[in-house]
Amino acid sequence: KKPKYYVLEMLPYPSGTMHMGHMRNYTIGDVVARVKRMRGFNVLHPMGWDAFGLPAENAAIKNRTHPRTWTNNNIGEFQRTLRRFGFSFDWRREISTCEPEYYRWNQWFFLRMLERGIAYKKKSRVNWCPKCCTVLANEQVVNGGFCWRHEDTRVEAREIEQWFLKTTAYSEQLLEDLKQLEGSWPDRVIAMQRNWIGRSIGAKVWFEVESEQSTADSPQLKSEEKNAGRQDAGATSKIEIFTTRIDTIYGASAIVLAPTHPLVALLIAGTPEQAKNEKKLAEMKVSSVKTEDIATAEKDGFFTGRYAVNPFNGEKVPIWVGNFVLLEYGTGAIMAVPAHDERDFEFASKFGLPIPTVVTPGEIGNKGDQRPAISDQEAKKESQKAAAPFTDYGYSVNSGKYSGLKSEDAIERMASDAEAQGFGKKETIFRLRDWGISRQRYWGTPIPVIYCEKDGMVPVPDKDLPVLLPANPKLTGEGESPLATDPEFVNVKCPKCGGPARRESDTMDTFVDSSWYFYRYGDPHNDKAPFDPAKAAYWFPIDQYIGGITHAILHLLYSRFWCKVMRDLGLVKHDEPIARLFTQGMVQKGGVAMSKSRGNVVGAEEMAEKYGADTGRIYTLFAAPPEKDLEWSEESIDGAWRFLNRVYRVVEKHADRVRAEKGYTTELAEGPQSAQRRETQDPGARTAPGAPTEKERELLRKAHQSLQRVTQDFEGRWHFNSAIAQIMELVNAIYAAEPLDEGVRPAVQKEVLELVTLMLAPMTPHLAEELWEMLGHKDGLWTVAWPAINEELAKEDEVEIPVQVNGRVRGRVTVPAGSSQDEVMKKATADPGVAAHLAGKTIRKVIFVADKMLNIVVG
RNA sequence: GCCCGGGUGGCGGAAUGGCAGACGCUGAGGACUUAAAAUCCUCCGGGGAUUUUUCCUCAUGUGGGUUCGACUCCCACCCCGGGCACCA
């Protein structure tokens, strides 16, 4: 049976018209799909539409039409262009995410996640884009606080009830499984994901708040005021901090809370500076949102007037509020160790906090775990004048019984001790947040839940799926969700009690659609389930996924998350959906990526109109290796066009002469053609019998050498540009051998011309099909296998070997291929150029690489 | 600041330790043509010697190193692009 091969390009969002940037993406995928098909794989190469989304809704409002109309028109355009470029998609498997047949399964998945607590609702501060009038996921907030689609618009913070998917439940797996992808995914994508998930291994430590003289108003924290689970319910007068450097705790000169930390108000209440500090706090809360660039903002803060106790040494530590501490990360509170942290150092320097040294670099000559040469006393003196913090690992000093330990050991011991004594806990935290999927928009998947006055939140039963979008919404682009304004949609009966109820009016983030769409291609018309697990088991994981680097985090992280959820639901057995990922470079014009807003697009249709689709295809393959950005050049396209014409002319010229000859097999081989298989096939079968002429030998050699290299370039690292260069060389050689009817028999001529055709077939299918027919074939190229390399014919009879003396080329000798070192030496020393450099010297060493080079080392 | 990429002719790029610049673009010259387009052929990194044949030499961001031999491997640095960024 044929092995499967699933090659997929990221599905497009159908907006506007397609440009050559799109075409490059699909061309790469199509070449791979066609090559694999020719090599005997059962290839899945589908196409679909990421059809939900905001631009459709905005365009509908602007043009007074329906988002569906706008979207489907675009899909029609896209389809036309893709067909024109001859991409070998299996259109029977086409999907469109805005169809109920598709999005009902988004709802189905949502219900399964709801059952398992993966989907949940919470009131939270959300990112609100005033231009989109909707909530954005953390991943959609860019440049430190701007909307990913309106890069000039700052995201606002709002408190809204939102649906979330618990991506954080998979933080560890999402991070760990990246190891499986190493080598098969681009390093930078893995690095970006790793960075995004952001694991920190450290510990939480609880600092007891010291009660002031007045015992009456010890700060109390009600559990619901701090995010659930963060604060030990019993430890109401404790501050919890997170640190990755517990070994530096003896150097903590302050506890610093985020301005939005719920304890802050309680702490400053009743202190002498209360009024002043409350004013300051209000300022900081505002400025932390408005500051142009939060990352570079100057350190600011104030002393609350209260103290906490360092559980390790019982020292009193002042409690501060600082603008550089983030509520969202860790516990929203830190211990400031100025001597060993950049930010703490800056903060302490500004506000005059002490900077005690508790870690020193290991001195040279200092052995193992022994104390470094510096004493606690000296360290104390040193620390006061330090100009910069020492943030590396070293040896603990000034740290009680831990002094002298290596930082790594101190971290381990101190964390263990803290845990044993009940004032701390080892903890790993992640930067990754849960995925907020609620959108207050129309053109998306309705979230399938109902709110009943009596029963509360009730999931829509599976039998009532899909929850259809209302056909004729009122779209204004403002205010609450358009679905909320449609009484027919909103007012429903409770599925449980039949009483009056209200339907959820938010829709899902469109990244939900694209998180699992590739599974649907394997079983696109299933109306019982999102897909048949057996079919998914056959096709998955995707052998090759191709798309832009823009989706390195969002789409790919969500897809990986979705796969793990489906695995836990028992739908799939694999951990990762995508075995290999390829990120192609952008097509640029004037140094920037093609985009409609920049007005620098080269339209796919106009390109096809002017030069033909094949020229467009081969140009994008030839101009640069696929992973690199490609600067569009009108002149270079002429070159690609000229080349294809050159090929056409030479085949046309000789077609009559060779048509009747036996050609390449039209049987597509069963199973992949391995190297072994190629060798066992009769390689000379297609070459005319009898001794070849010199001219024939040269042509055949060049042809099979080209085939060798082109095969490698297609299978290996996708060097399409050098594959094309190789075919160009072959075509040049054919021209140089003209007139072909003299000294080249028709059978040989046919073999060479057919090889050119077959090698071009994956890249320029239209041209190749026409040439194939001209060469006398009735069956289309679809039925043809990748040609077998004839190793014998590819071999050189003679090779020119450069002769080096002390590493410099001093001459060249021509010898029969496979000549021994002695034979080459004999010829080389006779070469006058070489001899001149050998004269009067002693030969010390000779390095010989057969058929490659000879290096004579003299002294 | 941290993490990824990448620096080779006028330009896009080739060369996975073995002749640096394949192939293409641009440019120059020639053939064909009444002419133009198209097409075909030749040349095209710098410097020097020789002058119509070739030889020498310098060149793959910079400086070191490993090696008989380095665009390629190692170390340090410079520049460009991208991602993350007060993440404790």
Side-chain angles (χ1 to χ4, degrees), chain A residues 43 137 160 272 311 320 359 373 378 382 432 487 494 546 629 749 853:
Chain A
V43 173
I160 297 182
W320 284 65
V359 182
E378 286 163 2
E382 279 295 305
L432 186 72
C494 170
I546 304 166
D629 288 345
Q749 201 178 334
M853 59 121 254

Side-chain angles (χ1 to χ4, degrees), chain A residues 148 159 175 236 253 265 282 288 501 539 631 637 656 673 701 756 797 815 832:
Chain A
W148 66 310
E159 290 272 340
L175 188 72
T236 48
S253 48
S288 71
W539 287 113
E631 175 65 28
I637 297 164
D656 286 342
Q673 289 176 296
R701 184 182 302 130
V756 172
D797 298 335
V815 295

Side-chain angles (χ1 to χ4, degrees), chain A residues 58 126 158 176 227 399 492 618 654 656 670 734 766 795:
Chain A
N58 292 338
V126 294
R158 287 201 183 180
E176 281 301 311
N227 286 342
S399 299
V492 289
I618 206 159
H654 298 291
D656 286 342
E670 279 289 312
I734 295 171
H766 306 93
K795 258 186 204 152

Side-chain angles (χ1 to χ4, degrees), chain A residues 759-810:
Chain A
M759 285 191 278
L760 282 173
M763 299 185 284
T764 58
H766 306 93
L767 173 71
E769 199 70 55
E770 196 171 339
L771 299 179
W772 194 243
E773 202 189 307
M774 276 159 62
L775 287 166
H777 294 276
K778 297 269 186 306
D779 299 325
L781 273 171
W782 275 91
T783 60
V784 184
W786 188 249
I789 300 164
N790 185 325
E791 310 273 355
E792 272 309 307
L793 287 176
K795 258 186 204 152
E796 294 281 357
D797 298 335
E798 288 191 323
V799 287
E800 194 189 57
I801 295 183
V803 180
Q804 303 179 343
V805 177
N806 286 349
R808 308 195 69 106
V809 179
R810 299 299 181 182

Side-chain angles (χ1 to χ4, degrees), chain A residues 358-377:
Chain A
V358 292
V359 182
T360 59
E363 301 291 344
I364 295 163
N366 181 48
K367 286 187 211 114
D369 285 350
Q370 293 306 302
R371 280 179 77 114
I374 192 166
S375 74
D376 283 6
Q377 284 298 317

